[in-house]
Amino acid sequence: MKRTPIYGILAEFDSPTDLVDAARRTTNAGYKKIDAYSPFPIEELAEAIGFHNNGVPLVVLIGGLLGCVGGYLLQYWIAAISFPINIGGRPYNSWPAFIVVTFEMTILVAGLAAVFGMLALNGLPMPYHPVFNVPRFAFATRDRFFLIIFSSDAKYDPVETRHFLENLEPRSISEVPS
Amino acid sequence: MMDEQTQTGGGGRGAPVIEPGYSFATITDKISAIVLTRPTSNGWLVGFGVFFLITMLLLYAMGYLFVRGIGIWGVNIPIGWGFAIVNFVWWIGIGHAGTLISAILLLLRQPWRNSINRFAEAMTLFAVACAGMFPLLHLGRPWLFYWLFPYPNTMNYWPQFRSPLVWDVFAVSTYFTISLVFWFIGLIPDLATLRDRSANRWAAIIYGILAVGWRGSARHWSRYETAYLLLAGLATPLVLSVHTVVSFDFAISIVPGWHTTIFPPYFVAGAIYSGFAMVLMLAIPIRKIYGLEDFITQRHLDNSAKVMLATGLIVAYGYAMEAFMGWYSGNTYDAYTLWNRLHGPYAHVYWSLLTCNIFLPQLLWIRKFRTNPGLLFMVSSIVLIGMWLERFVIVVVSLQRDFLTSSWGMYYPTRWDWMTFIGTLGFFLAAMFLFLRILPMISIFEMRTLLPQAEVKAE
């Protein structure tokens, strides 16, 4: 079985501006399978690596709708079908009294969808990842900014790609073993 | 844009939100060192030890309650809601400030929140945990609390969804769940920082498990930011709804003094009022002891004090309207409730409440009271006492004398009431001590974004 021994090439930068600039130049050079790592969210970065649609809002919308409809139907089924009780002559489906729980269920399911949807779309939890093999990557959660070109990219070439990254003037370059 | 906001902070003036001279690395090191390298001080051990013992007092009081039933408390007809409901409303109100800071101020783009949101959210969680104990203990048979939830059971029985008490179960449990996940996803990037910076192998493994393999990928950050913002958007109406629903527990009934439409807004304002008082009472010693004056600056104290002043005035308006309606409605029972508050057997409580909640907090108009930590701490503690007294007046004084003179009564809390209340204070503070020791009390990654060098400069 032939396996690519290298997962990608990782370049380290000092500032968010350098990283975004490097990411843009890498995308413009035709590299598609790249990623960037930063110690805090950088708004421009996702676009710079060509990532546009993150999918979270749709998941939250679906969660909210499910919670809303499910919450109401639960109360309707209980109060009007399974366990009808006459409370002060109110109709069994006394909807104004059901709004509060419907609202809370909407928030609950939408909120849980936001958290677990985000984690699932990100493929987390993922305890092991090849980039963790690079010792300097520990600084990605402190003050350093990294750009990686994956070896699975069509344009990837061990020598050419490394040369290209060197031209971006990074602080260091490391090969990521897979 | 971030930079401009950092400087002006939406109209605030005076001190900056973060003192100059910090870099990504120094912010990270300073906050993570509190957890990772700072030795456990004797002060921490003593503080934690004392509050842990008080938590044991809570368990003792609870154990005795389980054995003997709620007869050990001072509650009886007509005052069936004693300390349990007073403390429930007080604690859950305190929690509201944490969500206000983390969600509402995020949506309002107030970056000064970044250094206080983490421990304010922890405060929310512990306060809601304390709050949640009281109605459960008050059930009479607390071990059957799960009957509150709709689940298929052999009794063929379901909760009554037309009851505000059932709404409350849903509101409070949703609030706790959403606060917990909001707090947790806020922690993930910082847990990754602790994982990468920890010299202790076991600590690295534990933080690593909790960090769920976070590596700061741009794709992850993009989804993370969207999810965080949407959660804030969901938590904002949620937090306003929780105290609204708590106020429905009272307002939906016909008891004079409870049956009023001003309750929801006035409860929410009171919640934020007491919550900010608690935030300040925690922030002032914490910033001093851990040397965090550079991160929690005069600006934070000043802004929080202004929020307190504003919400305090809304609360004052609520009291004024209650009194006005007592007179203007022409309803004998409402008028009597007002008279009973002012002159009845609990009049001293009502006058103390007005002093603590309305008269003394007006000192916050004076700048010195907003910027001097000692004075602000004092005013905050007065507000917390005042808000507790407010709940006492609402719960006890209204039930004390309702429509029929033959059913009037008095309420005297027993030592078990006091032990349970003081026990939850101990539990709350013991949990805060543990939190300060094992998790970063300030959001490291959000502090990094406050630095001018975090901005991407256009080519």
Side-chain angles (χ1 to χ4, degrees):
Chain A
M1 189 177 89
K2 192 171 171 292
R3 228 185 118 175
T4 329
I6 294 297
Y7 180 75
I9 303 182
L10 191 67
E12 176 185 348
F13 296 91
D14 274 329
S15 78
T17 308
D18 292 349
L19 176 63
V20 171
D21 186 40
R24 283 200 181 118
R25 283 165 65 183
T26 310
T27 313
N28 290 343
Y31 287 101
K32 296 268 187 300
K33 294 193 173 167
I34 63 172
D35 204 349
Y37 305 96
S38 61
F40 54 85
I42 300 169
E43 213 176 322
E44 296 87 343
L45 194 56
E47 204 165 323
I49 63 163
F51 179 68
H52 299 290
N53 228 332
N54 71 34
V56 173
L58 183 65
V59 174
V60 178
L61 176 69
I62 292 170
L65 289 175
L66 280 179
C68 180
V69 174
Y72 191 87
L73 287 182
L74 171 82
Q75 296 175 83
Y76 174 78
W77 182 77
I78 287 174
I81 297 171
S82 175
F83 196 58
I85 310 179
N86 186 331
I87 304 281
R90 291 180 187 83
Y92 291 131
N93 179 24
S94 42
W95 66 267
F98 299 162
I99 295 300
V100 173
V101 171
T102 305
F103 170 79
E104 303 295 342
M105 292 301 288
T106 308
I107 301 284
L108 179 68
V109 181
L112 293 178
V115 173
F116 293 104
M118 181 272 288
L119 289 177
L121 289 169
N122 283 347
L124 298 173
M126 186 192 281
Y128 172 79
H129 191 271
V131 287
F132 291 135
N133 290 327
V134 178
R136 291 203 63 79
F137 192 71
F139 293 100
T141 54
R142 183 169 180 256
D143 60 341
R144 293 292 152 70
F145 301 81
F146 292 86
L147 179 72
I148 189 171
I149 299 179
F150 297 120
S151 60
S152 51
D153 191 281
K155 248 188 104 180
Y156 176 84
D157 176 274
V159 183
E160 285 284 303
T161 303
R162 194 183 175 97
H163 192 66
F164 170 78
L165 283 174
E166 272 162 9
N167 277 340
L168 298 175
E169 294 167 6
R171 187 187 177 95
S172 76
I173 289 189
S174 330
E175 285 188 341
V176 183
S178 70
Chain B
M1 186 148 95
M2 200 60 172
D3 196 37
E4 174 205 330
Q5 282 178 352
T6 311
Q7 302 307 324
T8 60
R13 48 183 181 156
V17 290
I18 176 169
E19 294 293 339
Y22 279 98
S23 69
F24 301 132
T26 52
I27 284 184
T28 310
D29 296 348
K30 186 164 174 151
I31 301 173
S32 58
I34 293 172
V35 176
L36 294 176
T37 54
R38 187 185 161 104
T40 307
S41 68
N42 288 333
W44 187 91
L45 283 174
V46 170
F48 177 71
V50 168
F51 295 126
F52 183 77
L53 286 177
I54 299 176
T55 310
M56 294 300 107
L57 191 69
L58 171 69
L59 291 186
Y60 176 58
M62 279 164 67
Y64 195 64
L65 178 88
F66 275 47
V67 175
R68 296 295 302 273
I70 57 169
I72 64 168
W73 288 349
V75 289
N76 209 330
I77 302 302
I79 300 158
W81 284 9
F83 262 30
I85 307 304
V86 175
N87 296 335
F88 162 68
V89 180
W90 187 70
W91 272 121
I92 204 150
I94 286 172
H96 278 46
T99 318
L100 179 103
I101 290 170
S102 57
I104 301 184
L105 294 185
L106 179 79
L107 295 183
L108 296 177
R109 294 183 150 269
Q110 296 292 312
W112 60 275
R113 76 179 256 295
N114 286 7
S115 63
I116 54 173
N117 70 334
R118 171 71 46 72
F119 79 80
E121 283 170 42
M123 178 198 81
T124 294
L125 279 181
F126 304 143
V128 175
C130 289
M133 286 180 213
F134 283 105
L136 295 188
L137 295 177
H138 191 251
L139 286 175
R141 288 184 290 170
W143 51 93
L144 297 177
F145 73 93
Y146 57 88
W147 285 9
L148 291 162
F149 292 102
Y151 71 101
N153 56 64
T154 51
M155 301 172 286
N156 262 327
Y157 216 75
W158 293 99
Q160 176 50 260
F161 282 104
R162 296 177 191 91
S163 162
L165 300 180
V166 172
W167 304 347
D168 217 20
V169 172
F170 278 80
V172 173
S173 51
T174 298
Y175 184 45
F176 184 79
T177 312
I178 295 295
S179 301
L180 182 68
V181 293
F182 198 42
W183 185 63
F184 176 67
I185 75 160
L187 269 169
I188 289 175
D190 286 356
L191 288 167
T193 299
L194 293 183
R195 170 197 68 201
D196 294 341
R197 312 232 355 104
S198 177
N200 179 317
R201 186 169 158 71
W202 280 106
I205 289 174
I206 292 168
Y207 287 129
I209 291 170
L210 292 173
V212 299
W214 184 260
R215 53 187 187 273
S217 154
R219 290 181 174 79
H220 292 185
W221 275 125
S222 163
R223 294 193 185 101
Y224 180 94
E225 285 283 279
T226 309
Y228 199 69
L229 200 61
L230 288 172
L231 261 183
L234 292 165
T236 297
L238 175 66
V239 66
L240 298 179
S241 85
V242 173
H243 232 55
T244 301
V245 173
V246 170
S247 80
F248 285 167
D249 292 343
F250 300 92
I252 301 284
S253 77
I254 55 165
V255 175
W258 287 2
H259 188 61
T260 154
T261 49
I262 202 167
F263 260 30
Y266 140 62
F267 264 54
V268 171
I272 292 164
Y273 190 34
S274 59
F276 264 89
M278 187 60 105
V279 166
L280 283 169
M281 284 194 72
L282 296 171
I284 289 168
I286 286 172
R287 73 195 275 273
K288 180 87 187 147
I289 292 166
Y290 289 97
L292 294 171
E293 282 100 338
D294 289 351
F295 295 162
I296 304 174
T297 65
Q298 296 273 332
R299 262 284 288 289
H300 297 92
L301 302 186
D302 191 36
N303 284 358
S304 306
K306 284 174 181 164
V307 174
M308 248 165 66
L309 185 58
T311 48
L313 289 172
I314 299 175
V315 169
Y317 174 79
Y319 297 157
M321 268 306 123
E322 273 189 325
F324 174 73
M325 289 311 290
W327 167 73
Y328 184 71
S329 65
N331 180 312
T332 323
Y333 302 105
D334 277 354
Y336 181 73
T337 302
L338 176 64
W339 186 91
N340 189 36
R341 282 181 182 175
L342 291 170
H343 307 290
Y346 291 109
H348 58 286
V349 180
Y350 192 63
W351 288 105
S352 317
L353 141 72
L354 293 182
T355 311
C356 291
N357 263 1
I358 299 187
F359 304 138
L360 288 178
Q362 300 310 318
L363 290 170
L364 293 174
W365 288 102
I366 305 164
R367 176 182 270 275
K368 190 164 184 331
F369 279 84
R370 298 197 306 267
T371 49
N372 180 314
L375 292 174
L376 190 53
F377 187 85
M378 202 185 67
V379 176
S380 304
S381 56
I382 290 171
V383 168
L384 274 177
I385 294 169
M387 286 307 295
W388 189 87
L389 294 173
E390 180 203 296
R391 276 69 196 250
F392 186 89
V393 166
I394 289 172
V395 172
V396 173
V397 181
S398 306
L399 285 174
Q400 186 218 349
R401 293 181 172 177
D402 64 0
F403 304 99
L404 288 175
T405 43
S406 59
S407 66
W408 286 4
M410 286 293 284
Y411 169 74
Y412 302 104
T414 63
R415 77 182 98 137
W416 300 101
D417 282 306
W418 286 110
M419 272 162 70
T420 315
F421 175 44
I422 293 168
T424 51
L425 284 171
F427 168 77
F428 174 78
L429 289 169
M432 279 311 288
F433 266 71
L434 277 180
F435 161 71
L436 294 179
R437 194 69 196 87
I438 59 180
L439 290 171
M441 69 177 93
I442 293 179
S443 172
I444 308 174
F445 84 90
E446 284 174 303
M447 289 302 284
R448 293 186 193 115
T449 63
L450 289 184
L451 294 176
Q453 55 266 45
E455 197 188 0
V456 176
K457 290 165 197 73
E459 287 299 301

